[in-house]
Amino acid sequence: MQEASVINYKETLNLPQTAFKMKAGAATREVEIETHWDEAKVYETLMTSRNKAQKFVLHDGPPYLSSDKIHIGTALNKILKDVVTRYKSQQGFYTPYVPGYDGHGLPIENAVVKNIKGGRHAISEVELRKRCREFALANLKGQETNFKRLGVWGHWEKPYITIDAEFEATQIKVFGKLYEKGFVYKGLKPVYWCPTCETALADAEVEYGDHASHSIYVKFPVKNVDKTPLEAQFKTLLTDASLVIWTTTPWTLPANLALAINPEFTYHLVKSRWGKLLVAEKLLPAFAKVVMTPEELAEYELIGSTDDFEAIAEFEGRELEGLITRHPFIDRESPVLMGEHVTLDAGTGIVHTAPGHGMEDYLVVQQYNREQFKDNPLPILSPLDNSGKFTEEALVPELLGVPYHLGNPMVLEILRAQQALLHDSKFTHSYPHCWRCHKPVIYRATEQWFIDIEQFRPDSLKAIDTVQWLPERGRNRIFNMVEGRGDWCLSRQRVWGVPIPIFYYEDNREVLITPEIIAHLYELFKVHSSDIWWAQSAEELLAGLPENLKVQYGLGQRKLIKEMDIMDVWFDSGITHTAVVDARKDELGELPVELYLEGSDQHRGWFQSSLLTSVMLYNKAPYKSVLTHGFVLDESGRKMSKSLGNVVDPNSVIKEYGADVLRLWVASVDYTNDVRIGKNTLHQMAEVYKKVRNTVRFILGNLYDFDPAQHSVPYAELSMLDRYTLHRLQHILGNITDAFEQWEFNRYCHEIQYLCMADLSALYFDVTKDILYCDAANAPRRRAVQTVLYALLQTILPVLVPVTPHLAEDIWLSLPEAQKTKVDGVAPVSATLLPWPQPNAQYVNAELAQQFETLLSVKEAVNQALEGPRSEGKIGKSLEAQVILLPEAVAVSDLLGQLTPSEQEVLFNVSAVSVATAPPDVTPFDWHTRVAGNEVAVYAMPAIHAKCVRCWKSDAAVGKMPGHPEICERCHQAVE
RNA sequence: GGGCCAUUAGCUCAGUUGGCUAGAGCGCACCCCUGAUAAGGGUGAGGUCCCGUGUUCGAGUCACGGAUGGCCCA
């Protein structure tokens, strides 16, 4: 006895041993792992070895380089892409990922201008562009570092950037091709214009501030009623009536070309001292108060009409379509158009429409010009020069040369003279001002280059239906947009971009653009980038053309000037299918590529610009499928904003939890809708990460003495529980694979979680610990469990790769060589090179699974029963208990009979199990508990035999072992 | 203001063609263990399925209306 107690039995156990740390230490460990990937050239090696395999190309949409930081939304996007390419790569595809960046555009230009002392005109355009380029490239470095730290793999050595000389050259070529095909035309479109700075302004460059404007009501007499759908009597009523408009910009009246009416509103024709007037019913009272004298108001109230006026007739807005009015002071017709944009907020419900001076006016006129006015379109009239002075086009001689704002009182005079002015007052409202000079800006139509959508709209719509849109609703979204969109305005009055490669003869503004010139510019741009457009004059740019062409174009005789507008950045990124994919055909294959994956806002943006340009060039969509994700909101579903203080910064998440936790979050949410993130969410993901990590750690720790080549146990010799666990593994592998194929990563997350928490930690590991630790190292049933653990590892490790590549690598690097999966006979340098596990049909056993469902419900009953003695302090851990089972169904007793007593003890994790056929006499135990249900009754009580000090199980043999009086027979064998 | 979408336990998600006493994992509470140990096990409490109104024998599931939030437009 004395002798025995000297023995430290703990040292005779097979306790877990592993160098794999419980804590990730992600902040440093992940960086080490990324360094390993870089040094081992993992991505490059894979690409080289796979270049014969079937391609799966996910083409990256380029983020803006206006900052070196990345947002959580960008992180979501890049991680999703990475999960996709990693998974597909494991499935054996050749999956190149070329990261892209959008380096042109206003945000960059403005950010640079902000830092120029003395404003943008203090430096040359060439210099400004140089700084923009430097700024963009510096930001690229920053973003790249951030993307790589997310664990995103790809062709970082050679990303694509829209400011690359070659990219820009291709863009010139593409523009030339579209011009040649007749898709490009020059038109007029209103833009914000600052007459003081004499420049166009982007939306982002106007600031709103108070401004005192006129508020005037003007009569437009009816000229022609023939084309209205009205009955004759109503036509007659209208012939000598007038429509009343309200405007705050009298100076735009010379540019009036139409009136707009809302087809849904009701309009009243009323008598007044100005004759018969037409005004929206709902606005009549307000209109009356403004334009009538108190006496008149009183009089009308006496008349007792429903409104302040005496209504003669009422019309639905739509009945007035086709009505033609006369301009109050210019000999011109002003037709009535139907417009949904007409509101009842203010005015008369009839809107003065000057398409050259307002965006909504422009759009409604464009709409009519495409349809009803196709044969006789309205012009986009904008009779002001660059400095805001009236031109001849205004058709009012006294306004010629007058600045627009001084034109206001003059127009009022003219209206008065024509007796067309019903009312004039001043009022203050919010009005756009120039961000630089802070003076009010105007809308002014300028010449711009457009793409004529009509020519290929039907083809585009057809192309949309060749694409798989995920989620499906995306199809309708983009279809409706393309179906209803207007022409694409390509021109931007900026500096930082690719120029519209057009020359004009200075004498008559005739356009010069030919395939030869485009080819020449292509070569120039390829060498010098688009910078050369600003560095050289038109003559210099064309100096290299062959002599015969120079003669043909009249160079040297007629002076040429360059177009100075640049292209819309959506055109830049829209043609990446050509400037990137087609240009790297060897690497990226033929168009269309497999997948575009962006936020759902890109239905209007990149998906569309890519589609339209691709249809124009190739008459097909550039992608086979389009997958979209929603936006990232805070934990309560609000948009993130600095002012709310609810912004989640990906870098701080990585610092606190590591990139894999962030990636796990990405995988856990249903990204097809908007997703939420916050402290709580991240903390929870960290818990999941830890659980997975510890599950693997348990496996590694218990495989320290296992060599699969020597110790593996054949399937037939595995216990029922072992085989069930393999079945579960297989089942979950199937679900996971299916989830990845559908891009439903949240299902993957749930499956992995369930496997680790329920199947393994709470069940298999918990009950096999006794075997692993206490059996002799080489005991068959211990080797069997290790065989299962090894099978688990071989499947779990590779499936961790797409979402948590750092974790997978960390595991891989701590594996002994003998346990590493071999690919072509060699263990790969990185876990990320492991193939996706193949399903193993041998492990699938539906019958066994069904049987186990029942056994597990018995286990559940046992657990419930054990709570009885435990709550009374009679037992602690389950091993201190024994149970008597009384099956209430034949199936249950049959099943229990299939397990040996020792297997029963293992499954229920107790010291003894007996299966009774009749209720036992439990009187000696006043602490028994019986749990009904589960088709079994369970009687739980403390084990009666002495406890083995080695394995902590109570057993009748304790005390009978020679030389080891404190241990049981199994332990005795293990020790001896 | 228009188009599209979402809303099931504190969190992340399941809920097939209407049959649910609405599930899972986490988190939480309580208990146990101390040989996976800044780990592990067990039990349990949590839900007017956003709100109305319909259709139906029966609605988380279908229809209509509304609220809130999001994206895109105006």
Side-chain angles (χ1 to χ4, degrees):
Chain A
M1 198 69 175
Q2 268 178 347
E3 212 179 71
S5 60
V6 172
I7 301 174
N8 185 354
Y9 285 109
K10 185 169 172 177
E11 284 174 5
T12 70
L13 296 171
N14 316 299
L15 293 180
Q17 298 173 25
T18 177
F20 183 69
K21 294 197 181 65
M22 185 149 95
K23 294 196 75 179
T28 54
R29 186 59 184 150
E30 286 187 349
V31 175
E32 287 167 21
I33 284 166
E34 286 167 12
T35 307
H36 165 68
W37 291 336
D38 280 349
E39 285 171 359
K41 296 214 171 294
V42 171
Y43 174 79
E44 293 77 1
T45 312
L46 178 72
M47 288 305 122
T48 315
S49 70
R50 283 280 168 76
N51 61 11
K52 295 260 160 32
Q54 192 185 337
K55 287 185 165 67
F56 182 94
V57 176
L58 187 168
H59 178 48
D60 192 30
Y64 249 125
L65 287 174
S66 53
S67 161
D68 60 351
K69 305 270 190 315
I70 62 169
H71 298 290
I72 191 79
T74 324
L76 169 76
N77 178 258
K78 291 285 180 182
I79 291 171
L80 285 172
K81 286 171 177 166
D82 195 52
V83 174
V84 166
T85 58
R86 284 185 186 277
Y87 168 73
K88 278 292 175 181
S89 157
Q90 287 183 285
Q91 284 288 13
F93 290 87
Y94 174 71
T95 57
Y97 174 66
V98 176
Y101 301 92
D102 190 347
H104 287 136
L106 189 69
I108 293 171
E109 189 172 331
N110 282 348
V112 169
V113 166
K114 222 184 272 173
N115 290 321
I116 300 173
K117 271 186 209 152
R120 73 184 302 143
H121 296 295
I123 61 172
S124 69
E125 291 186 329
V126 172
E127 174 65 19
L128 174 59
R129 284 176 50 92
K130 187 171 159 245
R131 293 196 196 176
C132 286
R133 185 177 297 278
E134 286 163 1
F135 180 72
L137 290 173
N139 287 336
L140 186 153
K141 279 291 145 210
Q143 291 201 8
E144 181 187 288
T145 307
N146 284 314
F147 292 149
K148 288 175 83 171
R149 185 59 191 84
L150 294 172
V152 174
W153 75 2
H155 207 139
W156 299 110
E157 303 301 315
K158 202 186 169 204
Y160 79 83
I161 322 169
T162 57
I163 62 176
D164 268 345
E166 224 169 303
F167 191 110
E168 293 183 329
T170 305
Q171 193 167 333
I172 295 296
K173 203 198 250 173
V174 167
F175 179 90
K177 204 167 277 173
L178 299 185
Y179 191 94
E180 211 185 322
K181 290 187 169 198
F183 289 117
V184 182
Y185 74 94
K186 190 165 202 181
L188 286 164
K189 187 191 175 195
V191 292
Y192 283 115
W193 184 271
C194 176
T196 313
C197 304
E198 296 196 17
T199 179
L201 298 171
D203 284 1
E205 293 174 322
V206 302
E207 292 169 349
Y208 284 81
D210 280 351
H211 180 69
S213 293
H214 290 268
S215 166
I216 62 169
Y217 290 82
V218 180
K219 275 181 15 177
F220 277 67
V222 170
K223 186 179 176 194
N224 190 325
V225 295
D226 298 345
K227 285 182 185 158
T228 59
L230 293 165
E231 289 172 28
Q233 59 188 91
F234 291 106
K235 285 184 178 168
T236 312
L237 273 175
L238 280 173
T239 43
D240 57 345
S242 291
L243 277 64
V244 183
I245 62 99
W246 173 73
T247 181
T248 60
T249 50
W251 63 269
T252 61
L253 282 170
N256 174 282
L257 293 173
L259 300 183
I261 272 182
N262 192 314
E264 306 291 322
F265 295 170
T266 302
Y267 291 84
H268 276 191
L269 186 64
V270 296
K271 267 187 191 166
S272 81
R273 69 182 142 105
W274 302 281
K276 288 188 275 183
L277 301 179
L278 193 76
V279 175
E281 177 194 15
K282 295 245 171 69
L283 287 162
L284 256 177
F287 171 66
K289 280 194 190 100
V290 174
V291 302
M292 293 179 87
T293 63
E295 295 76 31
E296 283 173 322
L297 278 174
E299 189 191 328
Y300 279 115
E301 254 171 89
L302 283 176
I303 292 170
S305 70
T306 50
D307 294 301
D308 296 334
F309 289 94
E310 189 183 354
I312 303 167
E314 64 174 66
F315 302 89
E316 290 303 312
R318 61 173 56 84
E319 297 176 312
L320 299 168
E321 179 150 35
L323 189 66
I324 292 172
T325 67
R326 186 164 50 76
H327 193 286
F329 55 85
I330 292 169
D331 181 17
R332 188 164 62 211
E333 292 183 345
S334 192
V336 170
L337 317 179
M338 295 297 118
E340 303 280 345
H341 65 288
V342 178
T343 67
L344 294 170
D345 295 344
T348 62
I350 302 172
V351 171
H352 146 57
T353 299
H357 289 308
M359 203 54 209
E360 286 179 328
D361 297 0
Y362 170 80
L363 290 172
V364 70
V365 166
Q366 284 292 89
Q367 182 76 24
Y368 270 81
N369 282 350
R370 273 206 299 276
E371 295 161 15
Q372 292 93 325
F373 297 169
K374 209 168 181 179
D375 301 326
N376 196 12
L378 291 175
I380 308 299
L381 180 60
S382 183
L384 296 180
D385 66 12
N386 286 357
S387 60
K389 290 178 183 145
F390 281 100
T391 64
E392 286 174 356
E393 280 188 306
L395 298 178
V396 181
E398 57 263 53
L399 285 176
L400 184 62
V402 174
Y404 80 95
H405 57 280
L406 299 179
N408 276 333
M410 295 173 72
V411 167
L412 294 189
E413 264 326 298
I414 296 167
L415 288 171
R416 272 192 205 101
Q418 300 290 327
Q419 300 189 321
L421 185 66
L422 302 187
H423 181 76
D424 162 38
S425 61
K426 283 242 174 176
F427 89 122
T428 303
H429 63 148
S430 174
Y431 189 85
H433 290 71
C434 173
W435 71 339
R436 242 182 352 265
C437 68
H438 304 295
K439 302 239 169 71
V441 302
I442 58 173
Y443 250 118
R444 172 179 180 250
T446 58
E447 290 199 321
Q448 323 236 4
W449 290 97
F450 290 86
I451 284 177
D452 180 6
I453 299 290
E454 220 49 68
Q455 284 188 44
F456 61 100
R457 196 191 305 272
D459 284 342
S460 302
L461 295 175
K462 253 182 249 160
I464 286 172
D465 280 330
T466 65
V467 176
Q468 183 191 23
W469 300 92
L470 298 167
E472 243 176 288
R473 61 184 108 99
R475 181 263 173 201
N476 286 341
R477 202 165 163 180
I478 192 166
F479 192 92
N480 293 340
M481 284 178 188
V482 172
E483 195 176 32
R485 71 163 292 162
D487 283 350
W488 183 357
C489 179
L490 274 190
S491 301
R492 291 296 122 98
Q493 292 74 39
R494 294 291 113 195
V495 172
W496 184 226
V498 177
I500 295 178
I502 301 243
F503 295 95
Y504 302 94
Y505 291 104
E506 198 182 34
D507 45 24
N508 64 355
R509 299 286 294 174
E510 193 191 322
V511 169
L512 175 62
I513 173 175
T514 66
E516 290 77 15
I517 291 178
I518 290 293
H520 174 68
L521 290 175
Y522 172 76
E523 297 301 332
L524 281 183
F525 276 50
K526 226 162 68 171
V527 177
H528 304 283
S529 87
S530 61
D531 287 346
I532 198 168
W533 191 262
W534 280 264
Q536 296 192 351
S537 68
E539 278 75 17
E540 287 168 331
L541 283 167
L542 296 177
L545 281 175
E547 282 308 317
N548 62 328
L549 286 178
K550 285 202 234 177
V551 173
Q552 190 186 327
Y553 300 151
L555 300 188
Q557 275 150 25
R558 298 172 70 187
K559 192 167 163 38
L560 281 177
I561 52 174
K562 300 172 286 188
E563 169 65 64
M564 290 314 288
D565 280 0
I566 60 167
M567 289 186 227
D568 177 14
V569 283
W570 285 116
F571 192 82
D572 301 12
S573 57
I575 61 150
T576 55
H577 48 67
T578 299
V580 178
V581 180
D582 190 61
R584 300 196 193 182
K585 219 178 282 178
D586 289 348
E587 185 183 1
L588 302 174
E590 298 288 332
L591 290 167
V593 300
E594 205 63 47
L595 185 65
Y596 277 32
L597 198 183
E598 307 294 333
S600 58
D601 57 334
Q602 298 303 329
H603 286 107
R604 176 155 294 273
W606 193 52
F607 299 148
Q608 195 176 136
S609 61
S610 299
L611 177 87
L612 296 178
T613 49
S614 179
V615 169
M616 281 188 283
L617 289 169
Y618 315 116
N619 199 16
K620 65 179 180 191
Y623 33 66
K624 286 185 197 155
S625 55
V626 171
L627 180 59
T628 55
H629 57 80
F631 279 69
V632 184
L633 309 175
D634 78 2
E635 222 146 22
S636 55
R638 308 262 156 189
K639 193 192 202 138
M640 288 186 186
S641 75
K642 275 184 195 158
S643 57
L644 281 174
N646 59 355
V647 177
V648 174
D649 168 33
N651 277 320
S652 53
V653 175
I654 289 171
K655 232 174 252 171
E656 191 174 352
Y657 297 109
D660 278 2
V661 169
L662 187 63
R663 295 176 65 107
L664 209 47
W665 164 74
V666 168
S668 74
V669 294
D670 173 11
Y671 64 84
T672 60
N673 286 310
D674 291 341
V675 297
R676 300 177 178 202
I677 194 171
K679 275 196 160 155
N680 211 348
T681 322
L682 284 165
H683 184 73
Q684 186 178 323
M685 288 337 293
E687 291 296 318
V688 173
Y689 174 91
K690 281 188 207 163
K691 188 72 196 191
V692 174
R693 191 178 172 93
N694 268 320
T695 301
V696 176
R697 185 165 181 269
F698 181 89
I699 296 176
L700 297 184
N702 285 292
L703 288 178
Y704 70 92
D705 65 339
F706 182 78
D707 178 353
Q710 284 185 54
H711 303 124
S712 289
V713 174
Y715 181 78
E717 291 167 34
L718 299 179
S719 77
M720 210 170 150
L721 176 62
D722 294 333
R723 284 181 282 128
Y724 170 69
T725 302
L726 290 178
H727 168 85
R728 285 294 304 163
L729 175 68
Q730 210 47 225
H731 179 73
I732 281 173
L733 174 63
N735 288 347
I736 285 175
T737 307
D738 186 57
F740 268 106
E741 289 294 330
Q742 315 287 324
W743 310 132
E744 291 171 11
F745 309 132
N746 62 336
R747 268 173 58 211
Y748 158 87
C749 265
H750 278 98
E751 293 289 337
I752 285 283
Q753 258 189 86
Y754 193 89
L755 175 72
C756 291
M757 318 236 183
D759 289 315
L760 299 182
S761 193
L763 178 64
Y764 193 65
F765 294 172
D766 194 47
V767 304
T768 57
K769 271 192 288 192
D770 174 70
I771 294 172
L772 287 165
Y773 299 171
C774 306
D775 276 14
N778 219 18
R781 67 173 191 171
R782 178 165 180 270
R783 291 304 186 196
V785 171
Q786 285 181 313
T787 302
V788 172
L789 293 183
Y790 184 64
L792 287 166
L793 178 67
Q794 280 187 299
T795 295
I796 292 173
L797 176 53
V799 304
L800 289 178
V801 167
V803 174
T804 48
H806 304 88
L807 173 61
E809 195 69 74
D810 206 10
I811 297 165
W812 182 251
L813 294 175
S814 69
L815 280 184
E817 207 57 28
Q819 289 176 11
K820 284 187 175 176
T821 306
K822 308 294 184 289
V823 177
D824 299 330
V826 195
V829 288
S830 166
T832 61
L833 299 176
L834 291 170
W836 193 257
Q838 289 303 306
N840 187 336
Q842 188 198 8
Y843 293 166
V844 180
N845 189 335
E847 194 197 347
L848 178 71
Q850 205 170 9
Q851 291 174 335
F852 244 87
E853 246 173 67
T854 307
L855 285 174
L856 289 177
S857 91
V858 174
K859 182 171 163 74
E860 198 184 340
V862 169
N863 282 338
Q864 285 167 13
L866 289 172
E867 283 305 297
R870 183 174 286 139
S871 66
E872 288 175 38
K874 305 294 183 192
I875 61 164
K877 61 161 77 179
S878 305
L879 274 183
E880 292 170 23
Q882 65 179 42
V883 293
I884 299 169
L885 304 178
L886 178 61
E888 289 166 354
V890 181
V892 174
S893 61
D894 283 354
L895 266 177
L896 288 168
Q898 286 186 33
L899 296 172
T900 65
S902 120
E903 282 178 332
Q904 289 171 1
E905 288 160 23
V906 168
L907 179 61
F908 302 127
N909 208 13
V910 294
S911 278
V913 179
S914 59
V915 181
T917 48
D921 174 15
V922 291
T923 23
F925 315 114
D926 59 348
W927 20 250
H928 79 273
T929 305
R930 179 183 180 279
V931 175
N934 304 74
E935 295 181 315
V936 67
V938 181
Y939 298 78
M941 61 212 78
I944 47 170
H945 296 297
K947 178 174 150 187
C948 165
V949 298
R950 184 171 175 276
C951 73
W952 297 342
K953 255 176 117 165
S954 60
D955 190 274
V958 175
K960 295 175 183 159
M961 294 298 115
H964 298 278
E966 292 180 301
I967 64 176
C968 66
E969 187 175 0
R970 178 262 307 253
C971 285
H972 184 250
Q973 278 179 13
V975 173
E976 289 299 311

